[in-house]
Amino acid sequence: MIQLLFMVIFSEMAVIMVLSFKTPFRKLVIMGLDRLKQGRGPVVVKTVAGTVFLVMMSSVYSVAEIQKRWADDGVTNPTDQILMATSLLQATLMGGTIFLALMIDRLHHYIRELRIRRKSMDALKKQVDLDKVKALEEEVTTLRGKLKQLESDIETKAKQINAAEVNSVALRKQSEGLLLEYDRLLEENERLRSQLKSLDWKLSRSDSKKNM
């Protein structure tokens, strides 16, 4: 019985060591524990743990009875000493077995929770990345629309500038034509004045001859 308990304790310690470090055996142990907790596995484990606990309490009770008998008799018996040491060792080993089993169960639970949390975080990161990509795509689409609008505005302004330049050239030509016409009219005016002066001079001479 004691040898079996030692084997169980060492096995449980080995399982705890494997679960504590990330090694290839860790996945195998986790898979084994997952299967153990499926179906009727939990019922079997609880039954075994309950049986071990009852046997441990029985050993503790035997130790208490031996101590009580020693107190009543006042004499220690070598056989009782051996029985007491054996019962005390068995109770200690059984308590250690139950304690290590609880540690293995908690370690397995926390490792599973950690794996689930990591998967959730990875999924959340992917979702956040998708949202960022979608937001960037929407921003790019908006910027492209603004760019097209700016290009359209620039094209409209360019057409307006070209039309203004054409109008400016036309106005300049019209102004040059008006200046030429003004110069011609000035020359015509001067010529008409000259003719008028010449006619006046001729008329004044004709009048003077008539008077003579």
Side-chain angles (χ1 to χ4, degrees):
M1 181 70 177
I2 293 175
Q3 292 179 351
L4 180 61
L5 289 173
F6 271 116
M7 289 177 62
V8 172
I9 286 177
F10 285 130
S11 299
E12 289 176 336
M13 290 174 64
V15 171
I16 291 172
M17 291 295 293
V18 171
L19 290 175
S20 299
F21 300 97
K22 192 172 183 180
T23 59
F25 298 103
R26 184 179 180 179
K27 291 183 179 180
L28 296 175
V29 173
I30 291 173
M31 289 175 61
L33 292 173
D34 288 339
R35 291 183 180 180
L36 185 63
K37 290 184 177 181
Q38 293 175 358
R40 298 181 61 185
V43 177
V44 175
V45 172
K46 290 178 181 179
T47 303
V48 172
T51 303
V52 173
F53 181 76
L54 290 176
V55 175
M56 182 187 70
M57 295 305 297
S58 175
S59 299
V60 171
Y61 180 77
S62 298
V63 171
E65 284 292 326
I66 292 170
Q67 288 181 344
K68 183 179 179 182
R69 188 163 56 247
W70 287 354
D72 292 338
D73 297 340
V75 180
T76 59
N77 189 348
T79 304
D80 289 340
Q81 289 180 355
I82 294 172
L83 288 174
M84 180 178 175
T86 303
S87 298
L88 187 60
L89 180 60
Q90 286 181 354
T92 303
L93 292 175
M94 289 179 187
T97 301
I98 295 173
F99 176 73
L100 292 176
L102 289 174
M103 283 189 64
I104 291 172
D105 179 67
R106 290 295 87 194
L107 275 173
H108 177 246
H109 175 73
Y110 291 141
I111 289 171
R112 288 185 62 189
E113 286 292 324
L114 183 61
R115 291 172 64 185
I116 293 171
R117 296 281 179 102
R118 283 180 178 174
K119 289 182 180 179
S120 300
M121 288 297 293
D122 292 338
L124 183 61
K125 286 181 180 178
K126 289 180 180 179
Q127 184 64 36
V128 170
D129 291 338
L130 288 175
D131 292 338
K132 286 183 178 178
V133 170
K134 190 178 293 184
L136 289 173
E137 288 178 352
E138 291 178 356
E139 187 175 356
V140 168
T141 303
T142 304
L143 290 174
R144 284 179 178 173
K146 290 182 178 180
L147 182 60
K148 287 183 179 179
Q149 184 64 35
L150 287 173
E151 289 177 350
S152 176
D153 293 341
I154 290 171
E155 187 176 356
T156 302
K157 294 295 182 182
K159 289 180 180 179
Q160 291 177 357
I161 290 170
N162 290 330
E165 288 179 351
V166 171
N167 291 331
S168 176
V169 171
L171 289 172
R172 190 181 301 166
K173 290 181 179 179
Q174 186 177 2
S175 175
E176 290 176 354
L178 290 173
L179 288 173
L180 292 173
E181 182 68 19
Y182 178 72
D183 293 336
R184 187 185 66 78
L185 290 174
L186 284 177
E187 291 178 356
E188 185 70 21
N189 188 20
E190 290 293 331
R191 186 176 61 80
L192 289 174
R193 283 183 178 181
S194 298
Q195 289 179 358
L196 184 59
K197 285 181 180 181
S198 177
L199 288 173
D200 288 338
W201 183 73
K202 288 179 179 180
L203 286 173
S204 63
R205 286 189 64 184
S206 64
D207 289 338
S208 62
K209 287 180 178 180
K210 288 179 179 180
N211 292 326
M212 290 178 64

